[in-house]
Amino acid sequence: MKFCKKYEEYMEGQCQNKKLPRVGLKKLKKILKRCRRCHQSRSVAMPADTNSHQSSTCSQHQCSVCDGSFFPSLLKEMSEVVGCFNKRAQRLLELHLSSGFRKYLILLKERIQGNHIALVQEGKDLVTYAIINAIAMRKILKKYDKIHYSKQGQAFKSQAQSMHIEILQSPWLCELMAFHINLRENKAKNEKALALFDGCFLIFNEGKPSLTCELFDSIKLDIDLTCSICLDTVFDPVSLTCGHIFCYICACKGASVTIVDGLQAADPKEKCPLCREEGVYEGAVHLEELNILLSRSCPEYWKERHQTERVERLRLAKEHWESQCRAFVGV
């Protein structure tokens, strides 16, 4: 079965009960088909030397036939898909981590079943939704480049990553992977426990942890869990909007803010320590599920790091309030 048909069947099945945005593969293919016909008719009408010049022009510049509708349409659909995925994943993980009356309010408001099987099924649906849409986006951009003999599709993909609408770049996908491993370990004794997806593991290579997951259609995710600032396993991890993961204290140092003020107080001009992108701190996400997973997998390191972190946080908090007091009294 061709991917387009498989994708449409999957999305129609999902949309029967849920209103989920999708990539309009059929519509985008029609745009490309119309563009191909237009170029074929031009090639017939033009002399050989002119045709060769036209072909080279199309490969180096944007296509005047379809770019006005193709890329804006795909950009809008990608934004809607990523926004929907992030919102649903955040809601699911909030439900899993909450307890008591707060959990009851979430269940009542969102009308979600709170049992283990329902949570796992929701997580599985979310991961499948994210991956199949990521594949759809890659395939349609690859088709664009094939028709136009260009690299505009790859350039658009890079642009999408810089705009943070590449779904595989979402921190919530990393959280769902950690969520899956946590549930699997919690229910290890239960033979009927469901898994979100196969091939997802926390692995250690020379003491350095990473999340790895092999997904269908040859997509493999590898997420390094070593903080590039302190060069140790991330502790109390946060993901910046660019997708890079750091310890919370390290991220605060990189943003030139105190732990009391938090990353939200960072100057928009502050850059990511790795990719040097600006404005990545305001939308930073605390990776709670990943924090739980690492604390279980590295208990000795976690206990030692927790003690040193506690001393460091007390020192930083003390320095912050002392500076505030001095500023208040005018010293």
Side-chain angles (χ1 to χ4, degrees):
M1 183 186 295
K2 290 186 177 181
F3 176 79
C4 184
K5 187 176 180 181
K6 183 179 179 181
Y7 176 79
E8 292 298 332
E9 287 183 357
Y10 168 78
M11 291 306 302
E12 285 177 8
Q14 288 293 309
C15 290
Q16 286 180 357
N17 301 320
K18 309 168 187 175
K19 293 182 179 179
L20 299 176
R22 64 167 82 181
V23 177
L25 281 184
K26 287 185 177 180
K27 179 182 68 176
L28 294 173
K29 281 189 173 184
K30 285 180 180 178
I31 294 174
L32 294 179
K33 191 174 182 180
R34 186 172 67 246
C35 176
R36 176 184 286 176
R37 287 175 180 171
C38 181
H39 285 299
Q40 285 175 348
S41 62
R42 285 183 182 180
S43 64
V44 171
M46 291 180 180
D49 56 341
T50 311
N51 180 35
S52 139
H53 173 72
Q54 176 68 20
S55 175
S56 64
T57 303
C58 183
S59 65
Q60 295 175 8
H61 304 282
Q62 293 185 344
C63 172
S64 59
V65 179
C66 66
D67 283 9
S69 54
F70 180 86
F71 286 123
S73 178
L74 182 58
L75 184 67
K76 181 175 180 292
E77 290 163 357
M78 288 177 72
S79 300
E80 290 175 350
V81 167
V82 173
C84 174
F85 170 77
N86 288 343
K87 183 178 179 180
R88 292 175 66 87
Q90 184 176 6
R91 183 186 64 180
L92 173 68
L93 295 168
E94 183 181 6
L95 173 61
H96 180 239
L97 293 169
S98 61
S99 60
F101 187 65
R102 177 176 173 78
K103 187 168 187 175
Y104 173 77
L105 286 177
I106 296 173
L107 290 171
L108 189 64
K109 180 181 178 181
E110 305 292 348
R111 297 179 182 178
I112 307 174
Q113 289 182 308
N115 60 70
H116 171 75
I117 295 178
L119 288 177
V120 171
Q121 187 59 48
E122 176 73 8
K124 183 178 180 180
D125 290 343
L126 275 173
V127 171
T128 306
Y129 174 73
I131 301 306
I132 201 168
N133 276 286
I135 295 171
M137 294 169 193
R138 290 186 177 189
K139 284 188 178 292
I140 197 66
L141 289 174
K142 188 176 180 181
K143 189 174 184 68
Y144 176 94
D145 282 346
K146 184 178 179 181
I147 289 176
H148 294 84
Y149 304 100
S150 72
K151 294 184 179 179
Q152 290 292 331
Q154 292 300 315
F156 177 81
K157 183 181 175 183
S158 300
Q159 180 189 358
Q161 290 175 344
S162 66
M163 294 173 65
H164 313 129
I165 56 173
E166 165 61 57
I167 199 163
L168 296 182
Q169 198 181 16
S170 171
W172 297 108
L173 188 57
C174 173
E175 275 286 82
L176 281 176
M177 291 166 66
F179 167 68
H180 158 67
I181 299 174
N182 287 334
L183 283 183
R184 186 173 62 194
E185 291 180 356
N186 287 342
K187 298 293 181 177
K189 297 180 181 180
N190 185 358
E191 296 180 357
K192 296 182 179 180
L194 298 175
L196 292 186
F197 40 95
D198 297 326
C200 180
F201 301 98
L202 175 67
I203 60 174
F204 290 85
N205 185 13
E206 297 181 354
K208 301 295 183 181
S210 63
L211 273 179
T212 181
C213 185
E214 293 184 4
L215 305 162
F216 55 85
D217 204 66
S218 303
I219 290 184
K220 184 177 180 180
L221 294 179
D222 283 304
I223 302 174
D224 184 21
L225 300 179
T226 300
C227 177
S228 59
I229 296 178
C230 65
L231 303 180
D232 218 332
T233 300
V234 288
F235 183 88
D236 192 15
V238 291
S239 175
L240 308 185
T241 55
C242 58
H244 293 119
I245 299 175
F246 302 94
C247 307
Y248 177 70
I249 282 187
C250 294
C252 287
K253 291 177 180 177
S256 303
V257 295
T258 67
I259 59 170
V260 178
D261 293 329
L263 295 175
Q264 300 296 325
D267 191 304
K269 294 183 179 180
E270 292 292 341
K271 300 177 181 179
C272 169
L274 269 181
C275 64
R276 310 307 297 166
E277 183 180 343
E278 294 183 353
V280 295
Y281 291 100
E282 186 178 357
V285 176
H286 248 104
L287 304 178
E288 301 290 351
E289 290 284 353
L290 181 60
N291 195 48
I292 294 171
L293 174 61
L294 290 172
S295 66
R296 291 175 175 177
S297 304
C298 321
E300 294 181 2
Y301 163 77
W302 217 252
K303 183 177 179 181
E304 180 183 349
R305 181 70 184 265
H306 181 74
Q307 292 175 347
T308 57
E309 193 90 356
R310 184 169 179 270
V311 173
E312 179 69 5
R313 292 194 179 209
L314 286 173
R315 183 185 69 81
L316 292 173
K318 182 179 178 182
E319 288 180 358
H320 171 79
W321 290 116
E322 284 179 351
S323 66
Q324 293 293 313
C325 290
R326 286 195 297 268
F328 180 76
V329 297
V331 178

